[in-house]
Amino acid sequence: MSAVILADDIYVAQNIGFGIIAAVMIIGALKVVTSKNVVHAALALVLVLGGAAAQYLLLAAEFVAVTQVLVYVGAVMVLFLFGVMLTRAKLGQEGDLNNKNAILGVPVALLMLGVMSWVLIDGFEDTRLPQDGDQVSVQALSDSIFKPYLLPFWALSFVLLAAVIGAIVLARKD
Amino acid sequence: MLINNFLLLGAVLFCIGVYGVIARKNAVMVLMSIELILNSVNINLLAFSMLHGNVDGNTFALYIIAVAAAEVGVGLAMVLLIYRNRKSISLDELSEMKG
């Protein structure tokens, strides 16, 4: 009995870390969808993406966490800020960013959240994650990408190539 | 840690993202909400990857990150094109394709 309590105590730090990061992420996500200022929403999105990277570390996926920081926080957010800056006249308050009937989104989101929470809590009651704490090694990950999932990797290369060419063709002035 | 911690966090982020897609009028804000949704999916994939001790979830999380980057590139190019033609990226003014 005491061993069980002790085993729970060891991972208190992880649970506290999870709780703090999750609270920051949820507050940031709410700010993304409710902020009146586009730049503030973009900065709140940085908070959410950084928190997601921290959660990936808790989930023993360090390579994905590093990739998340490089690709999302580094590249995608710069793209977003370019998009924000190029599509409006001046910094500061925007007109109204919401639809006329934006309030309809609230019951839809709450209904989805209710159904999903019910299914998850019903299905996974108190399944615990394994506590060995071994990070997924980059070697295992590359073996997985380049052996069984090589074909999706090729397809992804073509998707990226097409996206780059498409973005240039779309955004070019002619 | 309970796996439900991570799965419920993913569910909350997903629903906030869905609310953003429904409620927002600015096209850039809709793209940001889509990023929220993709990240919640990644959290779920990695949680299941850890639960089953299998690296497939990590692989697909990386693929999702790559697809999301491509999607943002093309999406923002389209938004810039729309802005250049109409001086507005308000989604409820784009009604040419209405039947």
Side-chain angles (χ1 to χ4, degrees), chain A residues 20-34:
Chain A
I20 293 173
I21 300 167
V24 168
M25 285 174 75
I26 290 172
I27 291 170
L30 286 174
K31 191 130 178 68
V32 170
V33 295
T34 54

PDB file of all heavy atoms in Angstrom, chain A residues 20-34:
ATOM      1  N   ILE A  20       0.373  22.829 -15.028  1.00  0.00           N
ATOM      2  CA  ILE A  20       0.707  24.233 -15.305  1.00  0.00           C
ATOM      3  C   ILE A  20       0.764  24.476 -16.808  1.00  0.00           C
ATOM      4  O   ILE A  20       0.170  25.434 -17.329  1.00  0.00           O
ATOM      5  CB  ILE A  20       2.055  24.581 -14.641  1.00  0.00           C
ATOM      6  CG1 ILE A  20       1.907  24.542 -13.125  1.00  0.00           C
ATOM      7  CG2 ILE A  20       2.532  25.947 -15.092  1.00  0.00           C
ATOM      8  CD1 ILE A  20       3.219  24.696 -12.396  1.00  0.00           C
ATOM      9  N   ILE A  21       1.471  23.591 -17.534  1.00  0.00           N
ATOM     10  CA  ILE A  21       1.608  23.805 -18.981  1.00  0.00           C
ATOM     11  C   ILE A  21       0.241  23.716 -19.657  1.00  0.00           C
ATOM     12  O   ILE A  21      -0.068  24.494 -20.560  1.00  0.00           O
ATOM     13  CB  ILE A  21       2.585  22.776 -19.580  1.00  0.00           C
ATOM     14  CG1 ILE A  21       3.951  22.924 -18.932  1.00  0.00           C
ATOM     15  CG2 ILE A  21       2.727  22.975 -21.067  1.00  0.00           C
ATOM     16  CD1 ILE A  21       4.872  21.785 -19.219  1.00  0.00           C
ATOM     17  N   ALA A  22      -0.587  22.759 -19.199  1.00  0.00           N
ATOM     18  CA  ALA A  22      -1.905  22.621 -19.817  1.00  0.00           C
ATOM     19  C   ALA A  22      -2.746  23.868 -19.585  1.00  0.00           C
ATOM     20  O   ALA A  22      -3.432  24.337 -20.497  1.00  0.00           O
ATOM     21  CB  ALA A  22      -2.612  21.384 -19.257  1.00  0.00           C
ATOM     22  N   ALA A  23      -2.681  24.430 -18.356  1.00  0.00           N
ATOM     23  CA  ALA A  23      -3.455  25.645 -18.083  1.00  0.00           C
ATOM     24  C   ALA A  23      -2.983  26.786 -18.983  1.00  0.00           C
ATOM     25  O   ALA A  23      -3.804  27.517 -19.568  1.00  0.00           O
ATOM     26  CB  ALA A  23      -3.312  26.024 -16.612  1.00  0.00           C
ATOM     27  N   VAL A  24      -1.656  26.938 -19.124  1.00  0.00           N
ATOM     28  CA  VAL A  24      -1.131  27.997 -19.997  1.00  0.00           C
ATOM     29  C   VAL A  24      -1.603  27.799 -21.425  1.00  0.00           C
ATOM     30  O   VAL A  24      -2.023  28.742 -22.108  1.00  0.00           O
ATOM     31  CB  VAL A  24       0.411  28.020 -19.921  1.00  0.00           C
ATOM     32  CG1 VAL A  24       0.988  28.898 -21.011  1.00  0.00           C
ATOM     33  CG2 VAL A  24       0.866  28.500 -18.574  1.00  0.00           C
ATOM     34  N   MET A  25      -1.574  26.523 -21.889  1.00  0.00           N
ATOM     35  CA  MET A  25      -1.988  26.256 -23.272  1.00  0.00           C
ATOM     36  C   MET A  25      -3.455  26.580 -23.482  1.00  0.00           C
ATOM     37  O   MET A  25      -3.841  27.156 -24.503  1.00  0.00           O
ATOM     38  CB  MET A  25      -1.742  24.785 -23.613  1.00  0.00           C
ATOM     39  CG  MET A  25      -0.303  24.444 -23.838  1.00  0.00           C
ATOM     40  SD  MET A  25      -0.114  22.682 -24.066  1.00  0.00           S
ATOM     41  CE  MET A  25      -0.739  22.515 -25.721  1.00  0.00           C
ATOM     42  N   ILE A  26      -4.307  26.206 -22.510  1.00  0.00           N
ATOM     43  CA  ILE A  26      -5.743  26.424 -22.714  1.00  0.00           C
ATOM     44  C   ILE A  26      -6.060  27.925 -22.680  1.00  0.00           C
ATOM     45  O   ILE A  26      -6.829  28.429 -23.502  1.00  0.00           O
ATOM     46  CB  ILE A  26      -6.542  25.649 -21.653  1.00  0.00           C
ATOM     47  CG1 ILE A  26      -6.422  24.152 -21.940  1.00  0.00           C
ATOM     48  CG2 ILE A  26      -7.998  26.057 -21.673  1.00  0.00           C
ATOM     49  CD1 ILE A  26      -6.999  23.289 -20.871  1.00  0.00           C
ATOM     50  N   ILE A  27      -5.412  28.647 -21.741  1.00  0.00           N
ATOM     51  CA  ILE A  27      -5.641  30.094 -21.705  1.00  0.00           C
ATOM     52  C   ILE A  27      -5.163  30.728 -23.011  1.00  0.00           C
ATOM     53  O   ILE A  27      -5.846  31.578 -23.602  1.00  0.00           O
ATOM     54  CB  ILE A  27      -4.918  30.702 -20.488  1.00  0.00           C
ATOM     55  CG1 ILE A  27      -5.608  30.238 -19.207  1.00  0.00           C
ATOM     56  CG2 ILE A  27      -4.931  32.219 -20.563  1.00  0.00           C
ATOM     57  CD1 ILE A  27      -4.848  30.572 -17.952  1.00  0.00           C
ATOM     58  N   GLY A  28      -3.982  30.299 -23.488  1.00  0.00           N
ATOM     59  CA  GLY A  28      -3.478  30.837 -24.750  1.00  0.00           C
ATOM     60  C   GLY A  28      -4.404  30.520 -25.910  1.00  0.00           C
ATOM     61  O   GLY A  28      -4.649  31.375 -26.765  1.00  0.00           O
ATOM     62  N   ALA A  29      -4.937  29.291 -25.934  1.00  0.00           N
ATOM     63  CA  ALA A  29      -5.829  28.914 -27.043  1.00  0.00           C
ATOM     64  C   ALA A  29      -7.104  29.750 -27.000  1.00  0.00           C
ATOM     65  O   ALA A  29      -7.599  30.203 -28.042  1.00  0.00           O
ATOM     66  CB  ALA A  29      -6.162  27.433 -26.960  1.00  0.00           C
ATOM     67  N   LEU A  30      -7.638  29.979 -25.777  1.00  0.00           N
ATOM     68  CA  LEU A  30      -8.838  30.829 -25.682  1.00  0.00           C
ATOM     69  C   LEU A  30      -8.533  32.238 -26.163  1.00  0.00           C
ATOM     70  O   LEU A  30      -9.361  32.881 -26.805  1.00  0.00           O
ATOM     71  CB  LEU A  30      -9.345  30.852 -24.239  1.00  0.00           C
ATOM     72  CG  LEU A  30     -10.036  29.568 -23.795  1.00  0.00           C
ATOM     73  CD1 LEU A  30     -10.356  29.633 -22.319  1.00  0.00           C
ATOM     74  CD2 LEU A  30     -11.307  29.350 -24.590  1.00  0.00           C
ATOM     75  N   LYS A  31      -7.330  32.716 -25.872  1.00  0.00           N
ATOM     76  CA  LYS A  31      -6.954  34.055 -26.318  1.00  0.00           C
ATOM     77  C   LYS A  31      -6.836  34.089 -27.850  1.00  0.00           C
ATOM     78  O   LYS A  31      -7.178  35.092 -28.479  1.00  0.00           O
ATOM     79  CB  LYS A  31      -5.633  34.455 -25.656  1.00  0.00           C
ATOM     80  CG  LYS A  31      -5.250  35.886 -25.800  1.00  0.00           C
ATOM     81  CD  LYS A  31      -4.879  36.487 -24.456  1.00  0.00           C
ATOM     82  CE  LYS A  31      -4.438  37.934 -24.640  1.00  0.00           C
ATOM     83  NZ  LYS A  31      -5.540  38.797 -25.042  1.00  0.00           N
ATOM     84  N   VAL A  32      -6.349  32.980 -28.446  1.00  0.00           N
ATOM     85  CA  VAL A  32      -6.236  32.951 -29.913  1.00  0.00           C
ATOM     86  C   VAL A  32      -7.604  33.141 -30.546  1.00  0.00           C
ATOM     87  O   VAL A  32      -7.741  33.886 -31.519  1.00  0.00           O
ATOM     88  CB  VAL A  32      -5.608  31.617 -30.376  1.00  0.00           C
ATOM     89  CG1 VAL A  32      -5.715  31.482 -31.885  1.00  0.00           C
ATOM     90  CG2 VAL A  32      -4.165  31.544 -29.971  1.00  0.00           C
ATOM     91  N   VAL A  33      -8.627  32.479 -30.004  1.00  0.00           N
ATOM     92  CA  VAL A  33      -9.925  32.532 -30.681  1.00  0.00           C
ATOM     93  C   VAL A  33     -10.797  33.683 -30.201  1.00  0.00           C
ATOM     94  O   VAL A  33     -11.864  33.895 -30.759  1.00  0.00           O
ATOM     95  CB  VAL A  33     -10.704  31.208 -30.535  1.00  0.00           C
ATOM     96  CG1 VAL A  33      -9.969  30.097 -31.231  1.00  0.00           C
ATOM     97  CG2 VAL A  33     -10.949  30.882 -29.099  1.00  0.00           C
ATOM     98  N   THR A  34     -10.392  34.416 -29.139  1.00  0.00           N
ATOM     99  CA  THR A  34     -11.254  35.510 -28.685  1.00  0.00           C
ATOM    100  C   THR A  34     -10.603  36.878 -28.813  1.00  0.00           C
ATOM    101  O   THR A  34     -11.300  37.882 -28.679  1.00  0.00           O
ATOM    102  CB  THR A  34     -11.652  35.318 -27.211  1.00  0.00           C
ATOM    103  OG1 THR A  34     -10.472  35.165 -26.449  1.00  0.00           O
ATOM    104  CG2 THR A  34     -12.525  34.109 -27.039  1.00  0.00           C
TER     105      THR A  34
END
